[in-house]
Amino acid sequence: MKKLLVMKFGGTSMGSAERMRVAAGIIAEKHNQRPLVIVVSAMSKVTDLLLESLRKAEVGDRTAVDSNLDLLLKRHFEACGELFPAGSEECEAATVDTHALVSEFRRIAYGVLMLGERPPRSVDEAIAIGERLSSALLAHHLRATGIQSQAVNGSDIIVTDAVFGNASPNMELTRQKCVTALLPLIEAGTVPVVTGFNGATVDGRPTTLGRGGSDFSASIVASALDAEELWIWTDVDGIMTADPRLVPDVAVLDELTYAEAAELAYNGAKVLHPRTLAPLVAKQIPVWSKNSFAPHKPGTKIVSHFDEPKGARAVTSMSNVALVSMEPANSALSGTRLMARALDALALANTEVLVFTSSSYRQTFCFLIRKEEVTVALEALEANLSIELAHGYLKPIEVDENVGLLAVVGEGMRGIPGLAGRIFTAISRENVNIIAISQGSSELTIGIVVRLDTLDRAVRAVHEECELNKLALTAAKSS
Ligand code: ASP
Ligand code: MG
């Protein structure tokens, strides 16, 4: 749709009545200028609370479930009380909606309590209630301020596969639903407030898109409706050259490419859900990452390409990772076949490989995965290679959890001789030992595995060596 702007407000931007007022102010300003669709997260920490309630329900702790339900009601009633004049029509309607949604959550939580287990489909149905609560509140608030608005449940417009907890969209079916459900609203001047995070299978079973998935919902909707732009409102000034908790002089990047932003997200930068950019690439829909606490700052623009590539752009790190090493014990076992079997097992276990390196002579190889995936990955590896392990063709699989990953990202690193050397020298100057290195032929990212207790030092050294703090000057000039 021509000029359509999709804006997504994250958990902190929806975190209180005051923050919702700010969001509504931003919406009101844009509503005068162009067609809008809003996508929202649950109020901050609500998804955690819902998940924790279900875990408590599973182990039979009814007291904890009830006290969490009280917290949930209190948090949303408090917001209602501050957003609407007591006794007003919208106050009444928002209160009724809040009650109904919390009751829906209670029904599922009590079901889990009774069963003593948490079926994934019921978990997805239950945790999406966080977004349904926040979207209802914001839509009522917009109406109370004179803007026609309607809450829309993501499960009515995003069609996904049945991978509960981490579903993927079927874009064609989703497009049809978005067009049918949202376009008439937009054309009538109504602002749809869509719940982020959730969808449903073709046969209507509720799903969610993975933690932090509201960004992904927003990009799915933007792509489905051929939006002109997607703006993602968060609580930081944009995408930074490093984590500001680790590096004192970080800069906010003025621009990044889709590929760079996706690499940063997959390598641990928290600012965007990793899968957000994929639906936008083909249609070249630009994304802005902006701060709802400082709405007039320019933020970071994510675009399809730069005319002039700009060298290293940012360094990220991940500490919740484990390095798995495998080595044939016998030359009769082909290393290549072993790698194929190992990768096959990892794929079956739905494990994401963050770094993979091998050495050809002894055919040993190692790969980095998330710590929380170690148990399922090992089960899958041991099952797929049980004969080789039992007969001593393969040495026992080693897992080292005392490691961290650092990733340097930038399209402009391609073809620059000496850059990797400078990065390694800077790291070694800090007396940090490099355990594994990976760089693909795209030269977009250099991944470096180091001991966990040296990770932060290494990040600072690389940030300084690549002079990433100087990118602040570019950002400042453009603002
Ligand atoms: N509320 C969901 C979460 O906390 C989705 C999101 O905020 O993006 O994971
Ligand atoms: Mg988020």
Side-chain angles (χ1 to χ4, degrees):
M1 178 185 219
K2 233 176 131 211
K3 290 191 74 186
L4 177 70
L5 172 62
V6 176
M7 292 203 289
K8 180 254 167 177
F9 291 89
T12 36
S13 303
M14 294 292 289
S16 63
E18 190 199 331
R19 298 311 311 159
M20 286 193 201
R21 273 208 192 90
V22 171
I26 294 172
I27 294 167
E29 191 191 320
K30 294 294 161 202
H31 183 52
N32 286 329
Q33 301 161 2
R34 57 203 288 195
L36 281 185
V37 173
I38 306 303
V39 177
V40 294
S41 288
M43 295 178 84
S44 49
K45 306 273 185 318
V46 164
T47 311
D48 290 336
L49 182 74
L50 299 179
L51 278 166
E52 200 221 24
S53 309
L54 297 176
R55 280 193 291 270
K56 295 288 183 196
E58 186 180 31
V59 298
D61 188 346
R62 189 182 185 120
T63 321
V65 174
D66 285 337
S67 87
N68 280 359
L69 280 162
D70 286 347
L71 281 176
L72 189 67
L73 260 185
K74 189 161 165 264
R75 178 96 184 266
H76 290 87
F77 277 157
E78 231 166 63
C80 281
E82 288 171 39
L83 283 172
F84 311 106
S88 65
E89 201 183 309
E90 290 300 344
C91 179
E92 184 70 12
T95 311
V96 169
D97 281 356
T98 304
H99 253 303
L101 287 166
V102 174
S103 302
E104 205 173 318
F105 183 77
R106 177 180 296 113
R107 183 180 56 78
I108 302 173
Y110 281 4
V112 170
L113 200 74
M114 200 171 72
L115 287 173
E117 73 176 307
R118 284 176 296 155
R121 159 201 165 145
S122 307
V123 170
D124 278 3
E125 181 169 4
I127 60 179
I129 288 174
E131 271 70 11
R132 288 170 62 201
L133 283 161
S134 63
S135 65
L137 274 188
L138 183 62
H140 283 301
H141 175 57
L142 288 169
R143 282 204 290 273
T145 58
I147 296 175
Q148 279 184 65
S149 173
Q150 188 177 312
V152 175
N153 189 340
S155 68
D156 293 332
I157 56 168
I158 295 184
V159 182
T160 71
D161 59 17
V163 180
F164 299 103
N166 196 26
S168 299
N170 174 319
M171 284 308 292
E172 185 43 37
L173 296 178
T174 300
R175 195 189 60 76
Q176 290 166 16
K177 291 219 171 198
C178 284
V179 166
T180 318
L182 300 180
L183 283 191
L185 290 177
I186 305 169
E187 275 156 10
T190 299
V191 178
V193 181
V194 180
T195 61
F197 192 37
N198 68 332
T201 60
V202 185
D203 52 348
R205 288 175 292 161
T207 54
T208 57
L209 305 170
R211 291 306 307 272
S214 298
D215 294 342
F216 192 26
S217 308
S219 74
I220 293 168
V221 171
S223 169
L225 294 178
D226 290 308
E228 189 176 72
E229 285 179 356
L230 167 61
W231 290 17
I232 295 187
W233 291 97
T234 66
D235 55 0
V236 290
D237 286 349
I239 300 179
M240 304 194 193
T241 52
D243 182 341
R245 286 165 303 184
L246 300 185
V247 181
D249 54 350
V250 295
V252 176
L253 292 157
D254 52 355
E255 275 191 329
L256 274 176
T257 64
Y258 292 133
E260 288 172 337
E263 283 289 325
L264 290 176
Y266 275 107
N267 285 291
K270 298 266 157 24
V271 67
L272 271 186
H273 184 276
R275 294 200 281 168
T276 308
L277 297 159
L280 306 170
V281 173
K283 298 188 171 170
Q284 303 206 1
I285 300 170
V287 188
W288 287 88
S289 167
K290 283 174 162 286
N291 189 353
S292 76
F293 290 75
H296 296 294
K297 290 199 177 166
T300 302
K301 187 178 187 186
I302 307 172
V303 295
S304 60
H305 73 281
F306 293 144
D307 292 335
E308 285 172 43
K310 307 187 181 190
R313 305 288 285 155
V315 46
T316 58
S317 60
M318 285 173 91
S319 52
N320 55 342
V321 290
L323 191 68
V324 182
S325 304
M326 297 179 65
E327 182 174 350
N330 186 314
S331 57
L333 182 63
S334 145
T336 309
R337 181 172 293 267
L338 180 60
M339 277 182 228
R341 299 273 295 280
L343 286 171
D344 187 40
L346 293 171
L348 282 174
N350 230 335
T351 310
E352 198 184 331
V353 176
L354 303 162
V355 163
F356 189 99
T357 66
S358 69
S359 76
S360 58
Y361 165 54
R362 280 164 66 210
Q363 306 266 13
T364 66
F365 59 92
C366 62
F367 50 87
L368 197 74
I369 58 177
R370 291 195 174 77
K371 240 183 223 170
E372 73 234 28
E373 294 182 337
V374 167
T375 312
V376 281
L378 279 184
E379 273 168 20
L381 287 167
E382 282 165 2
N384 222 16
L385 293 157
S386 57
I387 296 180
E388 289 80 356
L389 283 164
H391 293 281
Y393 283 97
L394 178 64
K395 293 194 178 163
I397 302 170
E398 280 177 26
V399 180
D400 186 349
E401 297 202 342
N402 186 21
V403 295
L405 170 70
L406 168 164
V408 196
V409 174
E411 299 222 35
M413 301 198 302
R414 190 174 306 138
I416 300 188
L419 185 65
R422 272 174 46 209
I423 289 171
F424 300 145
T425 310
I427 292 178
S428 65
R429 261 202 308 272
E430 290 297 315
N431 209 8
V432 171
N433 178 42
I434 294 176
I435 301 170
I437 301 167
S438 83
Q439 187 200 261
S441 53
S442 71
E443 299 182 48
L444 177 58
T445 301
I446 302 177
I448 300 170
V449 180
V450 298
R451 284 266 150 260
L452 194 51
D453 60 355
T454 60
L455 181 61
D456 296 359
R457 276 207 321 270
V459 169
R460 283 190 284 272
V462 171
H463 193 267
E464 200 181 326
E465 180 61 38
C466 296
E467 301 188 323
L468 295 178
N469 61 331
K470 295 215 174 128
L471 297 177
L473 300 176
T474 346
K477 258 192 272 162
S478 70
S479 64

